[in-house]
Amino acid sequence: MADDEPVGIGVLGAADIAWRRTLPALLRCPTARLVAVASRTPGKARAFAEHFGCEAETGYERLLERQDVRAVYIPLPNALHERWADAALRAGKHVLVEKSLTISTAAATGLARTARERGLVLMENFAFLHHPQHTRVRELVAAGAIGTPRVFSASFGIPRADPGLIRYSRELAGGALRETGCYPVRAAQLFLGEDVQVLGAHLRYEPDGGVDTAGSVLLADGAGVTAQCDFGLDHGYRNTYALWGSEGRIEVDWAFTPPPEARPLLRLYRAERREELVLPAADQFLDLVTAFAGACADPAAHEAHARAAVRQATMLEAVVALAGGSGDEEGRRAGARSARVPA
Ligand SMILES: NC(=O)c1ccc[n+]([C@@H]2O[C@H](COP(=O)([O-])OP(=O)(O)OC[C@H]3O[C@@H](n4cnc5c(N)ncnc54)[C@H](OP(=O)(O)O)[C@@H]3O)[C@@H](O)[C@H]2O)c1
């Protein structure tokens, strides 16, 4: 297959996020081609295939056997990511996995090793990283718009919804940290850098072995710039961050999931001045798919994606540990064993 052909992509699971955001963007990406969607249920696979103009497969294994699929997108429940990402890599496919990649650092490290050994991409899907609004924020900070950065704070919370959703399933590794908290924690690394460490965390769990539905995390980088991340699944909708510096602050209104038609609003406060910047709309999912297709064709890009995914898994594991484990006695003991508070 020629390198300049669009990357043939298969999808494991007829998931809501694939239907709403990823596949519409994929269809508009000139460097990627949707080949097939696999579901455990033939009718669901057919519905996706008819809607998106691709083929349907029943069973994820069958999709991995296809020679015309060079890369797979995995929007399965978090607890199934490791198993199917591993199977896809071993079948020789590049992999884009929904956040949160895995439930442990060890699992993420294992996947990264497998990807490296086979010369394949392992990318965790944080589409917001591809939205140009964050580049604009970084440019403003670099130009001194807020002076020296002191604090990053971010919040992502959504209202309580149907209890049958995978985000409320402990067995499927749902919960506020992996559903919404992962975004502010990832964003803290974008702005504070790779040496950021988790200093403290609290997770509030549902009674009777339920998932975490609320949490807060404190992080800091080597220079003492701090990040405060708040998140939840039982909250009034909030999806925002701010950078506060020695001379002002920048606030981002719709930080993590702006729709493609939204024109982002940045608010810049400096001394007595308040300025609003309205940026052009951008489709972060289209930019994500384009970046993934580009990475498939660029071995030099592979390592950075896998390293970022492992670092994020390390962060989330540290959060669970510092919050006292995963909410039950066994989890608390495991948390205490694996807690790694930076010196
Ligand atoms: N990037 C984003 O903006 C974003 C937003 C929301 C969610 N996500 C992530 O995307 C992933 C999917 O979330 P979603 O909300 O789209 O979930 P969803 O609609 O429930 O889809 C998950 C899919 O996984 C498959 N599946 C396999 N085994 C399953 C099981 N035991 N129980 C339930 N489903 C099973 C199902 O596909 P078949 O029945 O067709 O096999 C199902 O459609 C999660 O990792 C989530 O964290 C990302």
Side-chain angles (χ1 to χ4, degrees), residues 131 133 253-254 258 262-266 277-282:
H131 198 294
Q133 67 173 335
D253 240 30
W254 200 338
R263 298 198 62 192
L265 175 69
L266 307 187
L277 306 176
V278 182
L279 307 184

Side-chain angles (χ1 to χ4, degrees), residues 150-281:
R150 302 284 189 226
V151 182
F152 171 80
S153 56
S155 308
F156 190 7
I158 57 177
R160 192 168 276 277
D162 175 356
L165 292 171
I166 61 170
R167 72 181 71 133
Y168 297 109
S169 166
R170 186 163 175 144
E171 198 187 11
L172 296 175
L177 176 62
R178 295 192 185 98
E179 182 72 23
T180 53
C182 55
Y183 288 87
V185 170
R186 185 66 185 84
Q189 295 161 71
L190 182 65
F191 290 106
L192 273 65
E194 295 192 7
D195 68 343
V196 69
Q197 299 276 350
V198 183
L199 301 184
H202 177 76
L203 295 173
R204 195 179 72 225
Y205 287 86
E206 296 277 74
D208 304 324
V211 296
D212 52 310
T213 54
S216 294
V217 178
L218 178 67
L219 307 101
D221 69 9
V225 180
T226 53
Q228 166 75 33
C229 303
D230 303 302
F231 46 89
L233 300 179
D234 193 10
H235 294 55
Y237 189 78
R238 193 163 153 80
N239 188 331
T240 181
Y241 70 74
L243 268 159
W244 181 16
S246 55
E247 292 169 39
R249 73 181 193 279
I250 299 175
E251 292 175 357
V252 177
D253 240 30
W254 200 338
F256 302 117
T257 57
E261 64 281 2
R263 298 198 62 192
L265 175 69
L266 307 187
R267 268 190 288 269
L268 182 57
Y269 300 84
R270 198 178 156 99
E272 300 305 308
R273 268 186 42 219
R274 176 193 149 129
E275 198 183 332
E276 292 197 340
L277 306 176
V278 182
L279 307 184

Side-chain angles (χ1 to χ4, degrees), residues 14-17 39-40 44 60 75-78 81 98-99 183:
D16 176 63
I17 187 63
S39 172
R40 297 165 301 169
K44 277 171 83 181
Y60 307 149
L76 295 172
N78 297 328
H81 289 174
E98 267 306 338
K99 56 77 193 170
Y183 288 87

